[in-house]
């Protein structure tokens, strides 16, 4: 438990330490955000704000996860290594996109096909890994019911789609100052709590490897939580730095990694409902636009921009999302504990 608290506090302090050094450095390199005309006009003042700040979260989480690993490494089945792998590989796709935009000054970044191709490889590989993992397999837990759903061989294609959906959902939600960082801080406490509940259950059954695995997952989640909280010092409104695709895709990989390794991907519908809503609002908007030949169901998508154009301030939207995420996170943890 001491290691887990150290991961939470250490990641928070490490990002707080890096911020004042990283932000001026990125400004000096002219790694600034490009704000498009199609976005809310109030966002034009954010033009040039340093991007790729997610690298601070990446460094803090990676370093502390490896330094504070709660037990002996379990080789290829070690959960903390698997979580770092899916998060870092997802991050690399985002980093390439940010690099092309910020350094190469090609505002479109990676083409959609380049981005999706890299994500598909990661999604399929991680889904196959979970399918073969002795503590994961093809069964997933059903929220609020003490039952599991065995997907069989269909686990791999279905979970691959889940990985793609959630990583891109995190990217879409990174549209307001402090929004993704805040909901990540809240939801990751829930993922950590559920991993600890599973660790306790494994301990009662004297399953030593499972205890180490779930302890590792909890430590990783707390490191992400602490790093996100530290990043909020610089990312809250008005933001001094943005996560960029680098940070948002790392977070997306971390979320889906926690969900799949704990056999709880359906819990993302609750704890990460705002991420899901971001993608669904874009999908609904596009379908409605095509069917009605130019009409829109939302003022702008993702849906947080709809709220913004409806008169809510960025801080009000972030607070609303945080409260909503907090309530659903508590419900998810209670569901796991009661089961």
């Amino acid at each position: 438990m001491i290691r887990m608290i150290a991961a939470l506090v250490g990641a928070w302090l490490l990002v707080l330490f890096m911020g004042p050094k990283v932000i001026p450095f990125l400004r000096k390199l002219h790694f600034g955000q490009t704000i498009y005309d199609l976005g809310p006009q109030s966002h034009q003042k954010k033009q040039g704000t340093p991007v790729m700040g997610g690298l601070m979260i990446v460094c803090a989480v990676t370093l502390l996860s490896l330094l504070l690993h709660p037990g002996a490494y379990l080789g290829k089945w070690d959960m903390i290594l698997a979580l770092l792998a899916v998060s870092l590989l997802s991050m690399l796709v985002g980093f390439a996109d940010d690099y092309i935009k910020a350094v190469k000054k090609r505002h479109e970044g990676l083409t959609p096909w380049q981005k999706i191709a890299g994500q598909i490889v990661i999604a399929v590989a991680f889904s196959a890994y979970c399918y073969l993992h002795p503590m994961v397999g093809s069964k997933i837990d059903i929220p609020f019911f003490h039952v599991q759903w065995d997907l069989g061989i269909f686990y791999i294609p279905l979970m691959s789609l889940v990985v793609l959906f959630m990583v891109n959902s995190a990217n879409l939600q990174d549209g307001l100052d402090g929004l993704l960082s805040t909901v990540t801080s809240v939801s990751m406490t829930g993922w950590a709590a559920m991993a600890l509940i599973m660790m306790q259950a494994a301990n009662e059954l004297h399953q030593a490897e499972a205890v180490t695995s779930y302890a590792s997952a909890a430590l990783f989640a707390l490191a992400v939580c602490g790093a996100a909280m530290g990043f909020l010092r610089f990312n809250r409104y008005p933001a001094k730095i943005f996560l960029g695709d680098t940070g948002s895709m790392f977070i997306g990989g971390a979320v889906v990694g926690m969900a799949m390794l704990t056999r709880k991907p359906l819990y993302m519908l609750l704890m990460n409902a705002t991420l899901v809503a971001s993608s669904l609002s874009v999908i609904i908007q596009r379908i409605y636009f095509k069917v009605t030949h130019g009409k829109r169901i939302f003022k702008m998508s993702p849906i947080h921009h709809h709220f913004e154009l409806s008169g809510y301030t960025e801080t009000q939207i972030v607070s609303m999302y945080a409260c909503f995420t907090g309530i659903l996170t508590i419900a998810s943890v209670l569901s796991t504990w009661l089961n």
Side-chain angles (χ1 to χ4, degrees), residues 219-242:
L219 186 145
F220 174 85
L222 289 172
V224 175
C225 175
M229 288 193 298
F231 190 72
L232 271 171
R233 168 67 179 81
F234 315 104
N235 185 234
R236 70 177 188 268
Y237 183 86
K240 298 180 178 66
I241 191 169
F242 295 139

Side-chain angles (χ1 to χ4, degrees), residues 8-316:
L8 174 71
V9 177
W12 173 59
L13 292 175
L14 191 54
V15 173
L16 286 178
F17 172 78
M18 287 189 286
K21 296 172 175 55
V22 171
I23 295 173
F25 179 71
L26 292 176
R27 284 191 181 279
K28 185 177 180 180
L29 294 177
H30 303 291
F31 285 8
Q33 177 72 31
T34 298
I35 305 298
Y36 298 103
D37 294 334
L38 294 176
Q41 288 303 305
S42 60
H43 287 206
Q44 292 302 314
K45 61 185 179 183
K46 301 180 183 183
Q47 185 81 23
T49 301
V51 73
M52 297 171 70
L55 285 172
M56 292 190 287
I57 292 178
V58 172
C59 292
V61 172
T62 303
L63 179 63
L64 290 169
S65 294
L66 294 175
L67 285 178
L68 299 173
H69 192 288
Y73 281 95
L74 302 176
K76 63 182 179 181
W77 302 128
D78 194 282
M79 284 194 180
I80 214 161
L81 297 180
L83 286 163
L84 286 173
V86 69
S87 302
L88 290 171
L89 289 171
S90 298
M91 178 274 294
L92 286 176
V93 176
F95 178 81
D97 196 49
D98 282 339
Y99 183 83
I100 291 171
K101 291 175 182 176
V103 180
K104 300 296 184 181
K105 305 303 180 184
R106 285 163 43 194
H107 300 313
E108 69 279 4
L110 291 173
T111 66
W113 284 111
Q114 288 174 329
K115 188 178 291 186
I116 200 68
Q119 291 176 337
I120 287 174
V121 173
I122 297 165
V124 173
F126 186 68
S127 297
Y129 171 86
C130 290
Y131 178 76
L132 297 171
H133 198 294
M135 280 175 275
V136 183
S138 60
K139 294 180 180 179
I140 61 175
D141 295 339
I142 307 298
F144 307 110
F145 297 94
H146 191 47
V147 295
Q148 292 183 323
W149 181 13
D150 192 345
L151 299 175
I153 193 62
F154 293 104
Y155 178 93
I156 295 175
L158 289 173
M159 289 302 106
S160 296
L161 291 175
V162 169
V163 174
L164 289 171
F165 183 84
M166 291 307 298
V167 170
N168 285 293
S169 294
N171 189 29
L172 285 172
Q173 188 160 96
D174 186 32
L176 298 181
D177 294 359
L179 181 57
L180 182 57
S181 303
T182 298
V183 297
T184 298
S185 300
V186 176
S187 68
M188 275 298 171
T189 59
W191 287 114
M194 290 196 295
L196 287 171
I197 292 170
M198 296 177 74
M199 181 193 76
Q200 181 59 36
N203 188 48
E204 291 174 359
L205 296 172
H206 306 290
Q207 298 172 338
E209 288 192 357
V211 170
T212 300
S213 293
Y214 295 130
S216 297
L219 186 145
F220 174 85
L222 289 172
V224 175
C225 175
M229 288 193 298
F231 190 72
L232 271 171
R233 168 67 179 81
F234 315 104
N235 185 234
R236 70 177 188 268
Y237 183 86
K240 298 180 178 66
I241 191 169
F242 295 139
L243 282 166
D245 288 5
T246 301
S248 64
M249 290 190 180
F250 178 86
I251 287 172
V255 168
V256 78
M258 285 294 304
M260 289 173 64
L261 287 173
T262 56
R263 301 191 303 274
K264 300 185 184 301
L266 289 178
Y267 282 73
M268 289 188 292
L269 296 175
L270 297 171
M271 297 168 63
N272 302 104
T274 60
L275 272 68
V276 175
S278 293
S279 281
L280 288 181
S281 65
V282 171
I283 294 169
I284 292 169
Q285 183 86 317
R286 289 181 178 177
I287 293 174
Y288 190 79
F289 185 85
K290 290 182 179 180
V291 170
T292 60
H293 304 289
K295 293 183 180 179
R296 291 175 171 82
I297 194 168
F298 304 113
K299 294 181 179 180
M300 184 177 290
S301 64
I303 196 169
H304 50 260
H305 289 317
H306 170 81
F307 293 133
E308 190 177 9
L309 294 178
S310 296
Y312 292 92
T313 66
E314 291 192 45
T315 52
Q316 286 174 330

